[in-house]
Amino acid sequence: MTTPTRPLDGKVALVAGGTRGAGRGIAVQLGAAGATVYVTGRSAQGHRSEYDRPETLEESAELVTAAGGHGVAVRADHSDPAQVAALAARLEREQGRLDVLVNDIWGGEGNFAWDAPLWEDDLDRGLALLRRAVDTHAITSHHLLPLLLRRPGGLVVEMTDGTAEYNATRYRVSFFYDLAKASVLRMAFALGHELGPRGATAVALTPGWMRSEIMLEHFGVTEPTWREALAREPQFGISESTAYVGRAVAHLAADPDRARWNGRSTSSAELARTYGFTDLDGSRPDCWAYLTAAEQSPTAPDPAAYR
């Protein structure tokens, strides 16, 4: 039975790409709202992906359970249709339903170069990025949406970098990176047209400058000590925890009027303003407003003014 503090009791979610970063943050917050959360990806105990990172699916599932939900770790490569079909069959067998699908698969770290023009970039690496960041989303939706559509009210969240409005007039990092992020934004738009008449909702969602495990490691800090990095990089003051975007997804999933977001792109900051939640420190960082202001100002704005 749902309660104000556990509005997703009885709901089943799948976070594809939930090993670390935004995916882990989303999975944990869905668990905190009471959901059963299947966390999928390639990095499991004894099986590291080419990232060679220490985070595992099992850890993410344990965090979901510790937050109050029920976490289930399933190792799956979402670029392999057969593995995703098997995942869908398992969900149907074990749960008979799917209420929330989060497509957070990225796999692009190390597969793009900043500001390298297409003809100078590594073609194999760029195409690998598109397979990991675009093909995987289409494969996952193809196999999981039939289960999600069995009940009205399902939610699909396509995770990307930048809102449609922000990215429309800005070159993002490189040809392949830009194309990958634009493709995911368009996926949410297209799915909105296909899912809306069938009673489900598709949304593209972006965090801001997120304090992922990789980013915290880069600055030599932890989530509790992240402000120590400001001496090195003052603009890191606009960063947000992975819980912030996680709370955004949890509030979307619990909103009975979530269809108003169908086909749209939004950000963790916009949803925080809409639903009234905050980041872990009680603030509401808005990275995209900060970046826009920085482009228009001869001096860097104060990040504190955008929290």
Side-chain angles (χ1 to χ4, degrees), residues 43-249:
S43 299
Q45 291 175 0
H47 299 279
R48 288 195 179 191
S49 71
E50 71 273 9
Y51 275 25
D52 198 28
R53 295 282 309 173
E55 301 86 17
T56 67
L57 291 166
E58 290 85 357
E59 290 171 350
S60 293
E62 289 168 3
L63 289 169
V64 170
T65 301
H70 176 54
V72 183
V74 182
R75 185 168 178 259
D77 185 339
H78 285 259
S79 66
D80 181 350
Q83 291 189 41
V84 181
L87 170 64
R90 176 174 172 176
L91 262 172
E92 181 173 15
R93 184 173 64 252
E94 294 180 356
Q95 303 295 336
R97 65 185 297 161
L98 179 62
D99 303 286
V100 180
L101 171 61
V102 180
N103 272 325
D104 186 50
I105 310 141
W106 166 230
E109 297 300 328
N111 282 337
F112 65 90
W114 286 84
D115 298 319
L118 172 61
W119 57 94
E120 294 178 4
D121 207 346
D122 185 290
L123 181 60
D124 289 339
R125 182 176 65 179
L127 293 176
L129 184 152
L130 295 180
R131 286 192 293 272
R132 289 293 182 196
V134 179
D135 291 10
T136 53
H137 288 231
I139 291 167
T140 301
S141 290
H142 175 83
H143 287 288
L144 271 300
L145 288 181
L147 184 57
L148 182 133
L149 286 169
R150 286 190 182 175
R151 290 176 172 81
L155 173 67
V156 179
V157 181
E158 290 287 342
M159 296 299 299
T160 188
D161 176 19
T163 63
E165 179 183 13
Y166 184 88
N167 287 3
T169 58
R170 293 167 177 89
Y171 168 75
R172 300 304 311 280
V173 181
S174 72
F175 174 89
F176 289 109
Y177 188 99
D178 194 294
L179 180 58
K181 299 307 180 182
S183 296
V184 174
L185 284 164
R186 193 68 185 182
M187 281 185 185
F189 175 81
L191 284 174
H193 280 265
E194 296 179 355
L195 295 179
R198 295 171 171 86
T201 298
V203 182
L205 176 61
T206 179
W209 189 353
M210 192 175 57
R211 295 192 296 273
S212 65
E213 295 85 354
I214 294 173
M215 188 58 61
L216 291 170
E217 185 177 280
H218 172 74
F219 282 109
V221 294
T222 63
E223 179 57 39
T225 66
W226 71 269
R227 290 183 180 276
E228 294 177 7
L230 300 186
R232 174 179 170 186
E233 177 49 79
Q235 292 189 84
F236 197 50
I238 197 58
S239 66
E240 61 195 59
S241 75
T242 59
Y244 194 46
V245 73
R247 290 173 175 177
V249 174

